[in-house]
Amino acid sequence: MYIYFLQGVDGGPIKIGISKSIRARIKQIQANSPVQLRVIGLCRGTSRDEANFHKQFAEFRLHGEWFSDCEQIQETVNKVGICEMLILVQDERRKE
C-alpha cells in the first residue's frame, strides 16, 4: 500500500490518501477534480499510518482527506523523498 499526498499543480489543498494502485487512484481523483493534480509525496504504509497522518494534521483538515497547505505537511512531504517515487515507478512498470 502507498500513502500519497496530492496537490494541485498551482498549490492549494493537499489530499492524504492510501491505495494499492496509485496510478488508478490518481486517475479516479483527477476525473473529479476541477484542477490538474500532481503527486507531491509518496511512501509505503498501512491504513493505520494514513490515519496517523490524518490525526497529526487534524487542525488543518478542510474536508475528508483534504488538508490546508501548511508548513507541517510540506515538511512531512519533504521527508518522504525521491526514493519512494522511484519504487512506485518500478512497481507500476512491473504491472504493465
Side-chain angles (χ1 to χ4, degrees):
M1 300 283 275
Y2 293 98
I3 298 170
Y4 58 83
F5 296 77
L6 295 180
Q7 186 177 41
V9 294
D10 294 324
I14 296 171
K15 178 172 178 28
I16 303 172
I18 190 166
S19 180
K20 290 180 184 175
S21 176
I22 296 297
R23 187 176 290 174
R25 183 66 181 131
I26 293 170
K27 187 176 179 179
Q28 181 183 39
I29 296 166
Q30 184 62 69
N32 294 304
S33 175
V35 300
Q36 184 66 38
L37 299 171
R38 65 189 172 114
V39 176
I40 61 169
L42 183 73
C43 59
R44 291 184 191 270
T46 65
S47 296
R48 181 176 287 172
D49 296 325
E50 179 202 22
N52 286 337
F53 279 128
H54 289 183
K55 188 181 295 184
Q56 179 181 352
F57 302 125
E59 68 185 282
F60 306 109
R61 186 184 307 271
L62 297 172
H63 177 76
E65 296 184 331
W66 289 91
F67 298 80
S68 294
D69 188 359
C70 65
E71 186 176 331
Q72 292 88 334
I73 295 176
Q74 290 295 339
E75 286 174 2
T76 298
V77 166
N78 290 335
K79 289 178 187 175
V80 168
I82 193 69
C83 295
E84 293 291 349
M85 293 294 257
L86 293 174
I87 290 168
L88 171 70
V89 169
Q90 292 169 353
D91 286 352
E92 291 293 327
R93 284 186 180 156
R94 282 187 210 122
K95 294 177 185 177
E96 293 178 348

